Every structure is written in structure tokens, then in C-alpha cells.
Amino acid sequence: MVYVDGFIVPVPKKNLAAYRTLARKAGRIWKEYGALEFKECVADDVKVGKWTSFPRSVKRKPNETVVFSYIVYKSRRDRDRINAKVMKDPRLAKMMAGKDMPFDGKRMIYGGFKTIVDL
């Protein structure tokens, strides 16, 4: 079954267009190296929960929205191989450098997931 990297990140609403531009460029790089899918999804029906929720998980501020993203790979092995190449790619390094980032990477949550159901 496929392997998935998942991400949740707070993005200032005023930076959403810049985030989308960055994500499109990054997604092309991941797909170029073999990722099967690259999705970026902005919060639409996401409420702040009493104890936990997507907004609480990233300490969302009033001027921010939450973006849920995922990348699909053939396997964990493919994911590790692809990510090693992506992280060395100078195009990505250039996009992620400096204070021009359209989001606070310190509050990003991410991880790799094994698929247990695939319909």
C-alpha cells in the first residue's frame, strides 16, 4: 500500500496566494522525483475544538488559516529516496530560504503514515 506524508501548517490569510505559489513549485519538484500525488488543502469547515482541533494544533492566530497537505508515495522506501533528492534540490532550498516564507515553519506539524485502508 502507498505511504503518505501529512502536514498541517498555519498560514496568514494575507500570504495564502504566496503560499499557493510556493506549494505549486514545490509540488512539481516532488512529482518530478516520483511522488504520486501532492495536495494542498485550505481550511473550509474547520472549527476550533474545546480540547483539540486543527486550529489548536498549530496555535492558529486570528489572522491565519490552516492548510492540510499530503504527499503520496508508492512506499516508505520511495518516500525516503524521493525526499532525500528533494531536500538536496537547489530550487527548493532557494524557495525555503530567508524571511520570505509565507508561513511559520516552527508551527508546522508533519509525519509519515502507513496506509491501513485503501479503497
Side-chain angles (χ1 to χ4, degrees):
M1 289 202 206
V2 298
Y3 195 83
V4 177
D5 275 340
F7 308 85
I8 302 169
V9 63
V11 178
K13 293 173 187 173
K14 68 178 185 174
N15 294 349
L16 202 51
Y19 182 88
R20 182 180 301 171
T21 298
L22 175 110
R24 281 187 179 132
K25 290 176 182 177
R28 287 186 194 108
I29 294 169
W30 255 275
K31 299 258 329 231
E32 178 182 318
Y33 287 118
L36 302 176
E37 295 180 50
F38 185 97
K39 305 288 185 184
E40 297 276 353
C41 311
V42 67
D44 180 52
D45 183 20
V46 180
K47 295 171 181 55
V48 177
K50 187 173 181 179
W51 291 286
T52 187
S53 63
F54 282 103
R56 286 188 183 280
S57 71
V58 295
K59 298 179 181 177
R60 188 195 71 192
K61 297 174 184 174
N63 65 335
E64 294 176 327
T65 188
V66 178
V67 173
F68 169 71
S69 311
Y70 62 96
I71 306 169
V72 179
Y73 309 90
K74 289 180 190 175
S75 65
R76 164 89 189 261
R77 185 175 167 188
D78 267 15
R79 177 265 218 157
D80 292 346
R81 177 185 56 76
I82 290 165
N83 280 348
K85 289 179 181 180
V86 168
M87 293 305 142
K88 290 179 184 175
D89 192 295
R91 296 171 293 177
L92 186 68
K94 184 178 178 183
M95 284 188 279
M96 304 300 267
K99 54 189 172 194
D100 293 333
M101 287 289 293
F103 65 95
D104 181 359
K106 293 179 202 147
R107 291 187 288 141
M108 177 172 53
I109 298 171
Y110 59 92
F113 297 83
K114 292 179 184 180
T115 301
I116 60 171
V117 174
D118 189 0
L119 302 175

